[in-house]
Amino acid sequence: MILLSICLLQLAAGAQIKTGAEQTDLYLPMLSGKTVAVFANTTSVIGKTHLVDSLLKKGIRITKIFSPEHGFRGEADAGATVGNQVDAATGIPIISLYGNKTKPTAADLEGIDVMLFDIQDVGVRFYTYIASMQRYMEAAIENHRLLVILDRPDPNGFYVDGPVLDTAFRSFVGMQPIPIVYGMTIGEYARMLLGEHWVKGDTAFRLIVIPCKNYTHGSRYVLPVKPSPNLPTMQSVYLYPALCLFEGTPVSLGRGTSKPFQQFGHPAFPHEGYSFTPESVPGATHPPQMGEVCYGYDLSAINVEKATGNRWSLQWLLKAYALFPDKEHFFNGNGSGFDRLTGSSTLRQQLREGLTEDEIRKSWEPALSHFKTLRKKYLLYAD
């Protein structure tokens, strides 16, 4: 396999970050005269124009669009099945790669010369876009197609933390042995998949990553487009790594309100102070605790960096577990959903045993330190 990065650019102090997609001069020559498939969604933009529209105007022949969770236009519920469609704006067929089908088939790629990938990720293991990218890469390898990834900054790329996934718990919300917050752009992560042989392929396969300009892992990149319906603000993006674990419990994290991933609560929490009521809304048509008054905490105005110390914080999970009166039913079902998110059954057991956050954090070693060392081999940007 050949891992290529076009033009590793020097950081200019104070210069504006430019995504891979914005640097069209670096990749248009690879697409010109070719038949192109694009993996994209609503975040795939150049300025205020969708990538697909921009490329079509430049004469690039796009014959197929693939879309991830939430669909091509990005408004489907989390986990919802999105069927194949035709894009109304361009007439190009859209093939959904979320649900029963997660990888393009040989028939899907018939006549395709170049596979392009441009999705804004958030740098969290259970956010499904990296799983979609892996499946797309596998299809490129198996069908001997050139894969070009237009890189975008990782908005949570300034720290690495959390338990490393036990591969016995692999799922679409966690496919590889990486921590919950892994501190890599999607282009860097793709390089790791190949370099660590986590995807199989022949030696002739070429991955080309068009890197961001003027970005480092210390950058605080403000997303120009919300990455999914329930991550509407940067506050929600920063809180997402910690609050998403509530998806495996009855606790509401604000889906069905104006503050998803910025608050949490439950009807059984103490009936005092802050409250909210989830309702059916676009992007969250059947949210947990719909129509029920949930008592809890509003995190929408806190300083996340100060509250967490740039770590994957367990404080809100521990607080919710302490407040929940029926500990036997804190985890949905048999706990399998919670375990898939955390990457093992260990954290669930640690909560039941009453371990402190410091005790839990110590259990992540030495796997976490090993990953941090491994990660450095594949970075395209300074830490």
Side-chain angles (χ1 to χ4, degrees):
M1 298 181 190
I2 303 172
L3 285 70
L4 298 176
S5 286
I6 300 298
C7 208
L8 281 180
L9 299 162
Q10 297 295 318
L11 176 67
Q16 182 179 0
I17 292 171
K18 295 184 70 174
T19 66
E22 292 176 283
Q23 300 173 80
T24 55
D25 58 312
L26 298 182
Y27 63 92
L28 282 183
M30 305 173 200
L31 309 183
S32 181
K34 306 293 185 181
T35 302
V36 179
V38 178
F39 196 121
N41 69 358
T42 190
T43 69
S44 311
V45 293
I46 300 176
K48 295 184 178 180
T49 303
H50 197 283
L51 174 73
V52 169
D53 299 329
S54 294
L55 295 182
L56 289 174
K57 288 178 181 178
K58 293 181 180 295
I60 301 303
R61 188 183 176 207
I62 300 171
T63 60
K64 203 155 291 181
I65 296 169
F66 295 98
S67 67
E69 184 178 10
H70 306 296
F72 180 59
R73 295 300 174 186
E75 294 303 324
D77 288 8
T81 299
V82 179
N84 296 341
Q85 305 170 9
V86 173
D87 182 39
T90 63
I92 300 173
I94 302 170
I95 297 175
S96 174
L97 295 181
Y98 184 76
N100 294 329
K101 179 179 180 178
T102 59
K103 183 166 69 172
T105 64
D108 292 333
L109 297 174
E110 187 174 350
I112 298 296
D113 299 313
V114 181
M115 296 169 65
L116 194 64
F117 185 97
D118 181 31
I119 299 279
Q120 177 63 63
D121 190 45
V122 298
V124 183
R125 187 182 68 216
F126 36 69
Y127 202 62
T128 60
Y129 294 163
I130 58 169
S132 292
M133 186 272 292
Q134 177 177 330
R135 292 299 193 214
Y136 197 61
M137 179 187 293
E138 290 169 352
I141 294 170
E142 292 164 7
N143 292 280
H144 313 291
R145 300 297 195 273
L146 170 64
L147 174 59
V148 180
I149 293 178
L150 307 181
D151 212 8
R152 291 182 178 269
D154 176 359
N156 284 304
F158 48 87
Y159 71 109
V160 178
D161 203 17
V164 173
L165 178 133
D166 177 344
T167 54
F169 288 79
R170 277 195 170 112
S171 73
F172 208 67
V173 292
M175 297 180 70
Q176 301 299 344
I178 63 175
I180 286 176
V181 183
Y182 50 91
M184 305 176 83
T185 67
I186 210 158
E188 290 172 324
Y189 181 69
R191 287 160 51 86
M192 176 178 274
L193 288 176
L194 289 176
E196 294 304 309
H197 306 289
W198 290 345
V199 291
K200 297 179 181 179
D202 62 63
T203 55
F205 172 70
R206 286 197 305 154
L207 166 68
I208 295 178
V209 177
I210 308 298
C212 304
K213 184 177 181 180
N214 303 323
Y215 169 73
T216 75
H217 285 285
S219 302
R220 296 299 192 271
Y221 179 69
V222 177
L223 302 182
V225 179
K226 63 182 180 182
S228 52
N230 287 285
L231 293 180
T233 66
M234 289 308 300
Q235 187 80 342
S236 63
V237 170
Y238 294 142
L239 289 167
Y240 173 77
L243 297 192
C244 191
L245 293 192
F246 289 133
E247 302 276 34
T249 77
V251 176
S252 169
L253 46 71
R255 290 188 187 273
T257 75
S258 62
K259 298 177 182 178
F261 290 97
Q262 297 166 79
Q263 58 187 348
F264 69 95
H266 189 272
F269 285 179
H271 290 195
E272 56 190 35
Y274 184 74
S275 66
F276 60 91
T277 304
E279 302 291 350
S280 180
V281 299
T285 53
H286 296 92
Q289 306 303 336
M290 184 170 69
E292 300 290 333
V293 178
C294 295
Y295 300 89
Y297 297 86
D298 180 6
L299 308 180
S300 62
I302 69 167
N303 183 318
V304 179
E305 184 174 358
K306 184 176 180 180
T308 64
N310 286 341
R311 302 195 306 178
W312 181 66
S313 180
L314 288 166
Q315 60 183 296
W316 299 300
L317 177 67
L318 291 170
K319 184 183 290 290
Y321 187 74
L323 291 175
F324 201 77
D326 184 4
K327 300 290 192 290
E328 288 302 312
H329 295 97
F330 182 76
F331 303 101
N332 290 336
N334 60 4
S336 60
F338 185 86
D339 293 350
R340 282 195 297 271
L341 290 171
T342 59
S344 76
S345 60
T346 302
L347 181 56
R348 179 163 54 90
Q349 185 60 37
Q350 290 170 329
L351 289 173
R352 292 201 181 283
E353 293 174 357
L355 271 62
T356 65
E357 178 163 358
D358 285 344
E359 290 171 329
I360 293 171
R361 296 185 68 83
K362 288 178 182 177
S363 70
W364 302 340
E365 298 294 351
L368 181 58
S369 291
H370 173 72
F371 172 81
K372 289 179 179 178
T373 299
L374 193 68
R375 165 183 172 270
K376 292 183 181 299
K377 296 195 300 181
Y378 303 103
L379 296 185
L380 295 171
Y381 317 99
D383 266 338

